[in-house]
């Protein structure tokens, strides 16, 4: 064998010819990784790039191999013969061949490689797209129809630390109140369709399991199973390992993790040393994240600016910016990240795709799957520039090569869409069959590319082409050649490639289901038995879709040997019970009753209708009810009375779990999702319930007798055809006959008129009617002939006859079946001259004010101003129709509605009552006050407080002025005040007749800026009267600021006080007349007083501030400007007079008078124990006598707050806790609550929390928790109130009180649904003995704040199961009384007296009934109660004997 010629050293060969490049060529061909080219390199170097050097060496190798082959093919003789001639030609041909091969080398094409699992290696950077989010992993789509997963531990370093902290806290879990801060779920951080930059961390062989990573509690689909092979990481430290600090320029896109959340934005971690990012809250809103971003979240960011020191980068997460920014230059090849948008130059168009050059040096490939649809040769030419996005880096190549994509949705970082913007996955869901798809390309060993429609491609893998094995495909021949049309079915979707996965297999086309979502609830199927275990029967439905049948659904009866019926491979008929698409589970039933049932199938509450009859299965038996189950886990409660036609002592003996039953739906609550059903009615012949709402309660109807029973007469109402029940006893009483005589005289078909509808029963489709009771003969009301309730309109004039006086007002009979009410405040415009309560039998004319359809009641007004509005009558007592028109201080008159132990309730308007507390009834203390008032008495008072939200009004009858609050004052309002305290920085002023005080800063005292303000402040004395103006009001902090500058006032501001001055002068003159003085001296003294200057007349009693005038005596010298306190001026003037000896000698009478005044002394301690404390000394003195009085301590704290001494108020509270005896727990509790209120209003959240925890340790913890929630509620801090209630319910879950108070809070806030959800939660935590109490409380709250009908339903369930609990019946009656539903109340009492009870209990119930009839009913009702009481007593006596 000829010896291979060795390759000569390149250095010894001819020197390569220098090629001159232009500047543009050098710019495009020279890599920025190669240094500047040197014309004459030292040391035998070369100026060629590594790629050019490699090409030259490859050409030399090819030339040597070619010559060696040529020598072997020729004989040695021919070689010698032609050696000489060939030697000369060889040089020439070698030269030509080198030039030719050199040109080919420059344009040599790069093979376009297709990515597969074998080519995926660890460390490879790759672009992926999320297709599913699982609890422990992200399932992502990779290029070339591959899939992988990102474990939860490979999200970010920060997120992993949170998971580790959660694990540690779970191990060390204690009973602390604070909840463990849990990291966010993956579905809260990521979204399906989101693009991620990832690095491969592991590649598993086929068949490897990663169930522990993805989750073991659910069945995995095909994508999840395939994703186990490739494990990826999106931790920024791994992705950005090759990115340098110099690459972080404006427009650079890279992944980052949120390291922390700061005040103005987020700190980001790039994984790059000494560099961090900042994302402001404002820029974060521009991204695709609607909520606050959690720490540990990984997101792609775009650099917008870099700080001068290079340590901080401002970033943006706006999708549009990241999708359009492309890279133009880099510092290193490792800086190129997957997902980067670059500009590429087409260098070759080959059959399998494109060769491109990016960033002026690096090479890349684009395969056909990532090219837009259309001909490749017609769309792309050499030299074209395109924008492409990098998919992955092709490993083990020098220089580096990259795979790119030109697909529009990848370039735009979006999902593939049709022309109408509908995503491909929605337009072609998995399982849909495509009738005609065309083969457009054949990959011989891989599969077929099919065209579904313009722009939409599908791919059929070679194993999905046929059920038989197909080794290879031919593009020009065979059944699947290019251009053929086939029927295909969608079996998957590759999001990143934007291509549908199809199957041409006949077995797949024939399958009924491809995935669990395709199975419909209630569908009857044929299944193949796969496996029978002790726990369940597993069957195959279609292809990979399996189902399970639980043992209680094997048959209608329990099977002792199920293996005899279910053999592997056999086919059974079953029906779909439950479809759980998330867990990939289907539950079926093989019960013959359900499978062959033709009754409607209930799969959701929307399918349920009252009266519907269907099949169900018993799945739980309680002591007083049976629970049945329908499809899709819906269930209903069957009460014991509806379980059978005959009463059952033990339900478990009559029903077995798994037994199929036919039920009838009798009640549906769609809000709570609860249903009630009846087995008893389901087994009987079902007749759809008539529409009982065709008649209204209270309506007068007529009908014909349909049947006559022992106790009832069945009547068919006309013309509605509704079935009604009429009591035989009531029918007999209306005809004045006995029951037996009535049955003998009436016949079927007879017409019965004058019937009143009492109640409706929609569940049974009947109504209860009664004969209208005979009324006393009355004269017809004039003007109302033929009037009906529906014909009455608001504003019309009607006539009514007075029937009596009830608690609320005067009852009127307007027409047949039409009643009215006349409130006393609507009778006249002057309550004194009018007749608020007209006598019985009088016909009055009034105007319809409103209609109450529920009670069929008309509200009437007989005010002359309403009947004759044109007369412009000015009412003495105005009409009040809304609480909002009332203001504090308004003087009103009203009628006493009721007298309670704590005060009076006065009716001041239609349905508007004012409360008057005992302390507001009299100016003095009256021990026995009730005899002084009677119901319907006219009283006059003033409004103290108005709460429009709660519709509450407070009123007073006292003659003292109404105490005003801070809200009653306005800015720039001028008020009279009293100096409370003088400080170097200003004076504290208290508004007269109020407890409101505030500061007047020293800058607001004088208009003269040069005046000595300190001198002015020293002249102010405690108790001085001043005129002030309100400058500012801070309602949040409860502060007010005053001004005293003279420029704020005019002369008119002081004229209004002249009468008070005169009165004061008269009062101060009285003490001067006391003593044994002759008339002359008295006359002289009076004369002296008259001759005194005006400002000296204010010596005895302080008066409002007066401005200086020219009339002031010149003897008064005021240093430093004008004096603001008249009292201070007077004292100085008095001192001046006393020091003047001339005045004393010249007028001895004055001297004598002054001496006499000194002898008049007042005992200032006389009322010390009765007057209110007004100073710190007063409080300290009182506390010495009553150190354990929490009332005094709290008043002391309030006093300090009025002085704006918050810290002192806190100190007083702390003193109180130390001083009060430890046995006085209640007193200490009051102080703790006061401190909590103080901290809540003036402290911080931290200080409040400290006080709260301290209070909970020293007092009953539950009480403190509830009080804090109440404090938050009262101060409007609703978020904190909800949080506090939740903590309380968690800590004291066994307490019924905390649950009911939480529910009441929700009801008062209008959040009825949240309140209702608490009831089932509370029952799970509470002991069984507390269930009834809690349910009753929630039912009462429904009446007061929610839906009365819902409360009625709950009470019906309570009294049904606890029929002998008389207290519950009483509460039920009280709740109905609040709704003023007298018919329902009568029905309840009838049901109560159907039970056996003691005479004592019966007496109490009859008394209660009679009282309600007096308040809400009429005289006939009262007589009926009395009659029934007599009958019951007679029966009881007869039974006892």
């Amino acid at each position: 064998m000829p010896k291979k010629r060795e390759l000569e050293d390149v250095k010894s060969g001819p020197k390569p010819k220098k090629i001159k490049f232009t500047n543009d060529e050098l710019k495009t061909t020279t890599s920025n990784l190669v240094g500047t080219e040197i014309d004459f390199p030292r040391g035998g170097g070369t100026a060629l790039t590594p790629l050019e050097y490699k090409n030259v060496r490859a050409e030399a190798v090819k030339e040597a191999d070619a010559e060696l082959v040529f020598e072997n093919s020729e004989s040695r003789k021919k070689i010698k013969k032609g050696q000489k001639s060939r030697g000369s030609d060889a040089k020439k041909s070698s030269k030509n061949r080198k030039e030719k091969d050199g040109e080919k080398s420059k344009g040599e094409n790069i093979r376009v490689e297709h990515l597969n699992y074998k080519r995926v290696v660890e460390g490879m950077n790759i672009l992926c797209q999320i297709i599913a989010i699982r609890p422990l992993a992200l399932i992502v789509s990779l290029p070339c129809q591959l899939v992988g997963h990102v474990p939860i531990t490979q999200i970010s370093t920060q997120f992993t630390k949170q998971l580790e902290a959660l694990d540690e806290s779970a191990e060390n879990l204690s009973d602390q109140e604070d909840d463990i801060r849990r990291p966010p779920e993956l579905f809260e951080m990521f979204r399906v369709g989101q693009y991620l930059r990832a690095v491969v961390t592991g590649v598993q062989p086929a068949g490897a399991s990663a169930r522990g990573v993805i989750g073991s509690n659910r069945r995995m689909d095909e994508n999840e199973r395939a994703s186990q092979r490739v494990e990826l990481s999106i931790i920024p430290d791994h992705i950005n390992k090759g990115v340098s600090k110099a690459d972080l320029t404006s427009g650079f896109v890279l992944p980052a993790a949120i390291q922390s959340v700061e005040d103005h934005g987020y700190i980001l971690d790039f994984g790059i040393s000494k560099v961090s990012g900042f994302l402001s809250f404002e820029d974060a809103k521009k991204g695709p994240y609607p909520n606050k971003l959690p720490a540990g979240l990984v997101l792609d960011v775009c650099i917008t600016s870099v700080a001068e020191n290079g340590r901080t980068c401002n970033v943006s997460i706006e999708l549009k910016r990241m999708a359009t920014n492309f890279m133009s230059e880099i510092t290193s090849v490792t800086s190129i990240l997957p997902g980067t948008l670059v500009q590429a130059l087409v260098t070759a168009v080959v059959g399998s795709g494109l060769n491109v050059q990016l960033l002026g040096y690096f090479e890349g490939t684009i395969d056909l799957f990532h090219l837009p649809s259309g001909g490749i040769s017609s769309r792309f030419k050499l030299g074209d520039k395109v924008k492409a996005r990098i998919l992955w880096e092709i490993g083990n190549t020098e220089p580096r090569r990259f795979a790119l994509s030109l697909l529009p949705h990848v370039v735009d970082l979006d999902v593939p869409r049709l022309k109408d913007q509908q995503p491909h996955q929605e337009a072609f869901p998995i399982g849909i069959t495509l009738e005609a798809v065309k083969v457009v390309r054949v990959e011989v060993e891989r599969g077929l590319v099919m065209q579904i429609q313009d722009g939409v491609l599908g791919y059929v893998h070679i194993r999905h082409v046929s059920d038989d094995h197909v080794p290879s495909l031919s593009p020009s021949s065979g059944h699947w050649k290019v251009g053929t049309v086939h029927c295909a079915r969608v079996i998957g979707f590759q999001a990143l490639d934007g291509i549908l996965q199809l199957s041409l297999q006949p077995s797949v086309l024939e399958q009924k289901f491809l995935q669990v979502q395709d199975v419909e609830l209630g569908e009857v199927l044929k299944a193949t038995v796969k496996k029978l275990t002790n726990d369940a029967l597993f069957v195959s439905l279609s292809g990979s879709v399996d189902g399970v049948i639980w043992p209680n659904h094997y048959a209608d009866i329990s099977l002792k040997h199920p293996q005899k019926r279910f053999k592997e491979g056999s086919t059974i008929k079953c029906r779909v019970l439950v479809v759980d698409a998330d867990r990939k589970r289907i539950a079926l039933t093989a019960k013959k009753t359900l499978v062959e049932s033709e009754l409607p199938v209930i799969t959701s509450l929307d399918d349920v209708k009252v009266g519907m009859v269907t099949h169900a299965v018993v799945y739980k038996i309680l002591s007083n009810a049976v629970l049945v189950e329908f499809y899709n886990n819906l269930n209903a409660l069957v009460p014991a009375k509806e379980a059978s036609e005959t009463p059952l002592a033990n339900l478990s003996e009559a029903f077995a779990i798994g037994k199929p039953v036919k039920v009838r739906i009798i009640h549906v609550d769609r809000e709570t999702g609860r249903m009630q059903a009846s087995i008893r009615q389901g087994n009987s012949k079902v007749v759809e319930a008539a529409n009982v709402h065709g008649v209204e309660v209270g309506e007068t109807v007529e009908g014909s007798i349909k049947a006559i029973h022992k106790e009832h007469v069945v009547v068919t109402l006309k013309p509605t055809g509704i079935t009604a029940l009429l009591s035989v006893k009531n029918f007999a009483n209306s005809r004045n006959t006995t029951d037996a005589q009535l049955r003998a005289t009436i016949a079927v078909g007879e017409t019965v008129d004058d019937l009143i509808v009492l109640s409706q029963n929609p569940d049974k489709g009947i109504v209860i009617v009664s004969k209208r009771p005979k009324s006393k003969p009355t004269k017809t009301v004039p003007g109302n002939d033929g009037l009906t309730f529906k014909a009455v309109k608001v504003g019309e004039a009607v006539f009514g006859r007075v029937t009596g006086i009830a608690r609320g007002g005067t009852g009127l009979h307007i027409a047949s079946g039409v009643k009215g009410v006349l409130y006393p405040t609507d009778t006249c415009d002057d309550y004194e001259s009018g007749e608020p309560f007209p006598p019985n039998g009088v016909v009055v004319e009034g105007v319809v004010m409103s209609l109450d359809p529920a009670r069929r009641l008309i509200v009437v007004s007989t005010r002359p101003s309403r009947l004759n509005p044109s007369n412009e009558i000015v009412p003495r007592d105005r009409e009040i129709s809304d609480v909002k028109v009332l203001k504090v201080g308004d003087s009103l008159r009203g009628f006493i509605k009721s007298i309670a132990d704590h005060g009076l309730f006065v009716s001041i308007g239609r349905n508007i009552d004012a409360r008057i507390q005992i302390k507001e009834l009299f100016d003095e203390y009256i021990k026995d006050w009730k005899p002084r008032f009677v119901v319907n008495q006219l009283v006059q008072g003033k409004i103290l407080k108005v709460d429009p939200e709660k519709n509450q009004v407070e009123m007073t009858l006292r003659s003292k002025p109404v105490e005003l609050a801070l809200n009653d004052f306005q800015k720039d309002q001028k008020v009279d005040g009293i100096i409370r305290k003088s400080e170097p920085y200003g004076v504290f002023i208290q508004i007269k007749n109020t407890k409101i005080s505030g500061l007047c800063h020293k800058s607001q005292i004088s208009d003269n800026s040069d005046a000595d303000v300190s001198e002015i402040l020293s002249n102010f004395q405690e108790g001085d009267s001043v005129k002030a103006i309100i400058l500012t009001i801070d309602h949040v902090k409860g502060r007010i600021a005053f001004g005293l500058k003279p420029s704020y006032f005019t002369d008119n501001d002081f004229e209004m006080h002249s009468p008070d001055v005169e009165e004061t002068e008269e009062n101060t003159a009285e003490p001067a007349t006391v003593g044994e003085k002759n008339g002359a001296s008295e006359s002289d003294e009076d004369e002296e007083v008259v001759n005194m200057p005006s400002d000296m007349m204010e010596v005895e009693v302080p008066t409002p501030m007066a401005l200086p005038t020219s009339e002031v005596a010149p003897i008064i010298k005021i240093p430093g400007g004008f004096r603001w306190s008249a009292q201070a001026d007077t004292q100085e003037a008095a001192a001046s007079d006393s020091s003047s000896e001339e005045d004393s000698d010249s007028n001895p009478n004055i001297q004598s008078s002054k001496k006499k005044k000194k002898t008049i002394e007042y005992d200032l301690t006389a009322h010390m124990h009765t007057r209110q404390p007004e100073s710190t000394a007063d409080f300290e003195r009182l506390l010495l006598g009553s150190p354990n009085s929490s009332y005094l301590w709290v008043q002391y704290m309030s006093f300090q707050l009025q002085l704006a001494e918050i810290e002192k108020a806190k100190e007083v509270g702390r003193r109180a806790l130390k001083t009060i005896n430890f046995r006085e727990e209640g007193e200490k509790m009051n102080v703790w609550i006061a401190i909590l209120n103080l901290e809540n209003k003036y402290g911080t959240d931290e200080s409040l929390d400290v006080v709260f925890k301290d209070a909970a340790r020293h007092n009953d913890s539950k009480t403190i928790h509830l009080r804090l929630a109440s404090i938050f509620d009262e101060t409007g801090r609703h978020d904190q109130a909800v949080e506090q209630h939740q903590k309380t319910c968690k800590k004291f879950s066994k307490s019924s009180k905390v649950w009911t108070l939480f529910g009441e809070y929700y009801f008062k806030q209008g959040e009825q649904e949240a309140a209702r959800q608490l009831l089932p939660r509370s029952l799970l935590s509470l002991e069984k003995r507390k269930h009834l109490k809690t349910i009753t409380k929630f039912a009462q709250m429904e009446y007061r704040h929610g839906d009365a009908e819902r409360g009625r339903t709950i009470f019906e369930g309570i009294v049904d199961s606890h029929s002998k609990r008389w207290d519950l019946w009483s509460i039920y009656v009280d709740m109905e009384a609040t709704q003023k539903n007298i018919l329902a109340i009568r029905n309840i009492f009838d049901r109560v007296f159907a039970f056996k009870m003691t005479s004592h209990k019966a007496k109490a119930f009859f008394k209660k009934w009679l009282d309600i009839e007096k308040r809400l009913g009429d005289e006939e009702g009262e007589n009926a109660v009395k009659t029934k009481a007599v009958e019951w007593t007679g029966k009881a006596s007869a039974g006892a004997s």
Side-chain angles (χ1 to χ4, degrees), residues 321-335:
R321 173 175 289 186
M322 289 189 292
T324 55
N325 278 9
F326 64 93
M327 180 183 290
S328 57
E329 58 182 13
I330 57 171
T331 60
S332 171
V333 67
T334 58
S335 302

Side-chain angles (χ1 to χ4, degrees), residues 952-994:
Q952 295 177 352
V953 180
E954 296 283 347
M955 197 172 177
T956 180
L957 300 182
R958 300 177 65 178
S959 58
K960 71 170 186 177
V962 178
E963 186 173 321
L964 302 178
L966 190 62
N967 295 331
D968 300 322
F969 294 94
Q970 298 177 354
K971 183 181 177 183
D972 298 330
Q973 181 178 348
K974 297 170 184 177
V975 296
D976 294 326
I978 300 174
I979 300 296
R980 289 293 305 273
K981 192 176 182 182
S982 179
E983 298 289 349
Y985 49 82
V987 291
F988 288 94
I989 301 174
Q990 180 177 352
I991 301 176
K992 283 187 177 181
N993 301 323
T994 69

